[in-house]
Amino acid sequence: MNIVLMIGVAGALGAVSRYALSGSVYALLGQSFAYGTLVVNVLGSLAIGLVMQLGIATDMFSPNVRTAVAVGFLGAFTTFSTFSYETVQMIQDGAWGPALLNILANVTICIIAVLAGVYLGKLIGGGA
């Protein structure tokens, strides 16, 4: 399959998955905080660390599959633009505390999630 088509299909699946997961999280936890976006960003960060580590260190994923997942699925799944917009909305509403918490939570937890994904990839597939 052509890599551009693979990225497109994976991107469509990632966008739909983001919509479904974040909607479910908001339904469960409410909309008093950007919980849905945070969950999506953390899971996407974990997944990209895992997929990239396994794709680079093993032959578990071909370069085309790794690209389709990382660029297509996870590119559409993670929500940095939504995170940014929600943060600006909080600031415009005068909710500086939640805005700062949103920034710290997304950046800190997502970087930790990428590191966890790389670590899991090393456990699963080996490599340095």
Side-chain angles (χ1 to χ4, degrees):
M1 183 186 294
N2 180 312
I3 186 64
V4 174
L5 181 59
M6 288 174 68
I7 291 169
V9 169
L13 293 171
V16 171
S17 297
R18 175 183 73 194
Y19 177 78
L21 179 58
S22 65
S24 296
V25 171
Y26 283 123
L28 182 66
L29 299 177
Q31 296 194 7
S32 62
F33 185 73
Y35 296 110
T37 301
L38 178 59
V39 167
V40 164
N41 284 342
V42 170
L43 289 177
S45 296
L46 176 68
I48 200 164
L50 179 61
V51 167
M52 294 305 289
Q53 177 63 33
L54 290 175
I56 291 168
T58 73
D59 60 355
M60 194 173 289
F61 301 112
S62 71
N64 282 354
V65 169
R66 185 176 70 233
T67 299
V69 171
V71 175
F73 184 86
L74 294 172
F77 180 72
T78 56
T79 55
F80 194 79
S81 60
T82 303
F83 151 74
S84 300
Y85 179 77
E86 289 171 341
T87 303
V88 167
Q89 287 300 116
M90 290 176 202
I91 292 168
Q92 289 176 339
D93 292 342
W96 284 91
L100 290 174
L101 176 61
N102 196 38
I103 293 165
L104 288 172
N106 273 281
V107 173
T108 304
I109 297 171
C110 289
I111 288 172
I112 291 168
V114 169
L115 290 170
V118 169
Y119 177 75
L120 287 172
K122 288 179 180 181
L123 284 177
I124 294 167

